[in-house]
Amino acid sequence: MPKGYVIFTEAVDDPTGMAAYGRAAGLSIAESGAAVLAADPRPQVLEGTWHGDQTVVLEFESVEAARAWYESAAYAKAKPLRQAAARTNAVIVAGFAPRPATAE
């Protein structure tokens, strides 16, 4: 089963509010067993237009685990803090799982 990733792009309007969100979300992330793979306040855009001024990537054991965290009661307490402090895009994506090689 491939890993699940939650990716946020955030246009932060209230840094103090985002700090409060970070503390609240951090607890729920730790409880879920997820890992923060990236939290970059200045992503380097290579092509196109990127939303926001901060990008965060979380890794979960599966897409189902990522969805369970996002919909959890623990994260529900943090989510309104983020929504009040930043304009955010969020996605869940499945990790790449290479197909086994087949004999020709």
Side-chain angles (χ1 to χ4, degrees):
M1 176 179 301
K3 301 257 186 190
Y5 298 88
V6 175
I7 303 169
F8 293 101
T9 61
E10 302 163 333
V12 178
D13 298 317
D14 176 6
T16 302
M18 281 302 283
Y21 162 73
R23 289 187 297 277
L27 292 172
S28 71
I29 292 166
E31 289 172 359
S32 75
V36 179
L37 296 185
D40 192 341
R42 291 179 210 89
Q44 297 178 28
V45 178
L46 301 176
E47 295 184 28
T49 303
W50 195 254
H51 167 264
D53 47 21
Q54 178 167 282
T55 300
V56 177
V57 180
L58 307 176
E59 180 184 61
F60 294 83
E61 285 302 312
S62 65
V63 168
E64 292 77 14
R67 171 70 64 185
W69 167 77
Y70 186 80
E71 295 175 350
S72 71
Y75 186 62
K77 295 174 185 175
K79 194 184 312 182
L81 297 172
R82 176 183 47 76
Q83 292 170 333
R87 291 163 282 122
T88 305
N89 291 329
V91 297
I92 295 175
V93 297
F96 179 72
R99 296 176 190 233
T102 58
E104 292 185 32

